[in-house]
């Protein structure tokens, strides 16, 4: 019950990669990769849809009617194309599960988007760290509420706040004395010549 209270129905979904989708005539059916069970009804883990609101993704499960603001594990897939592999693979970066078959959890439009996106990942030029999903430091978005108020929402963590995030307060300036650019944080007063880790993330394409 604690899990349900904290996360709702999503806490009891099958693990990503459990279900595969097949067609019979004009109908789709689902097969459990572990038990070989087949069913016509949509498993809850395969019922997530992604919608966009003010540039923020909202996730809706049309079976359980649950709405969440952070990406569910069932949709956390990457289409990995690597020259050292014989064929592309689907990789769930939350559970570390990998498979060749298209995951049954993914809606059709997201399958195409992820295949076009390919093996993209985030790389931190300051720390050398790598991440499959957008790092929390740069996942802040401005949102306008129904009263016109502006607040910040973190798409990765689900946190919201009125004050500007510290990680978003870095500014680039030029030092006449040193004759080079530097960065300073207008909230903390911290300064650095190298790009600070919170804003040093860039998108890379190949593994």
């Amino acid at each position: 019950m604690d899990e349900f209270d904290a996360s709702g129905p999503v806490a009891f979904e099958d693990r990503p990669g459990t279900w595969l989708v097949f067609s019979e005539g004009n109908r789709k059916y689902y097969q459990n990769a572990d038990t070989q069970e087949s069913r016509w009804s949509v498993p809850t883990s395969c019922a997530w849809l992604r919608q966009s609101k003010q540039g923020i993704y909202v996730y809706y499960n049309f079976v359980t009617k649950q709405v969440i603001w952070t990406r569910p594990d069932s949709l956390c897939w990457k289409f990995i194309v690597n020259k050292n592999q014989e064929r592309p693979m689907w990789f769930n970066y939350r559970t570390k599960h990998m498979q060749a078959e298209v995951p049954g959890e993914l809606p059709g439009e997201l399958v195409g988007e992820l295949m076009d996106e390919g093996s993209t990942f985030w790389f931190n030029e300051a720390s050398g760290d790598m991440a499959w999903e957008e790092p929390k430091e740069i996942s802040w978005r401005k949102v306008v509420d129904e009263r016109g108020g502006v607040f910040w929402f973190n798409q990765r963590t689900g946190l919201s706040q009125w004050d500007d995030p510290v990680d978003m307060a870095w500014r680039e300036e030029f030092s006449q004395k040193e004759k080079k650019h530097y960065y300073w944080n207008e909230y903390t007063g911290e300064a650095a010549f190298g790009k600070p880790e919170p804003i040093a993330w860039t998108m890379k394409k190949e593994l």
Side-chain angles (χ1 to χ4, degrees), residues 16-53:
T18 296
W19 296 95
L20 302 175
V21 183
F22 299 93
S23 297
E24 186 173 296
N26 295 324
R27 298 183 64 186
K28 293 192 302 184
Y29 69 93
Y30 298 82
Q31 185 177 74
N32 188 304
D34 297 328
T35 66
Q36 304 306 307
E37 169 200 352
S38 295
R39 56 189 289 183
W40 295 106
S41 59
V42 181
T44 57
S45 60
C46 301
W48 287 102
L49 299 176
R50 187 186 67 180
Q51 302 171 332
S52 181
K53 183 178 182 181

Side-chain angles (χ1 to χ4, degrees), residues 75-151:
L75 300 185
C76 291
W77 294 92
K78 294 291 290 187
F79 184 65
I80 305 298
V81 181
N82 191 313
K83 62 182 180 181
N84 296 322
Q85 294 177 333
E86 294 184 3
R87 58 183 298 185
M89 300 290 287
W90 288 93
F91 175 67
N92 189 289
Y93 49 81
R94 291 269 181 84
T95 65
K96 311 305 181 186
H97 174 74
M98 184 173 286
Q99 63 186 56
E101 302 85 359
V102 176
E105 295 87 5
L106 292 175
E109 64 274 12
L110 196 51
V111 171
E113 179 181 314
L114 291 173
M115 292 182 72
D116 290 340
E117 187 179 278
S119 305
T120 55
F121 64 96
W122 291 91
F123 178 75
N124 192 295
E125 297 175 343
S127 67
D129 292 336
M130 173 263 195
W132 287 110
E133 55 186 327
E134 186 179 50
K136 61 183 181 181
E137 296 91 343
I138 58 174
S139 292
W140 292 100
R141 307 286 188 271
K142 278 187 176 181
V143 181
V144 180
D145 64 21
E146 63 275 6
R147 298 181 180 179
V150 178
F151 65 94

Side-chain angles (χ1 to χ4, degrees), residues 141-169:
R141 307 286 188 271
K142 278 187 176 181
V143 181
V144 180
D145 64 21
E146 63 275 6
R147 298 181 180 179
V150 178
F151 65 94
W152 289 88
F153 175 77
N154 193 297
Q155 184 78 75
R156 172 74 180 277
T157 65
L159 297 176
S160 59
Q161 62 186 59
W162 294 105
D163 296 331
D164 291 350
V166 172
D167 288 335
M168 302 295 290

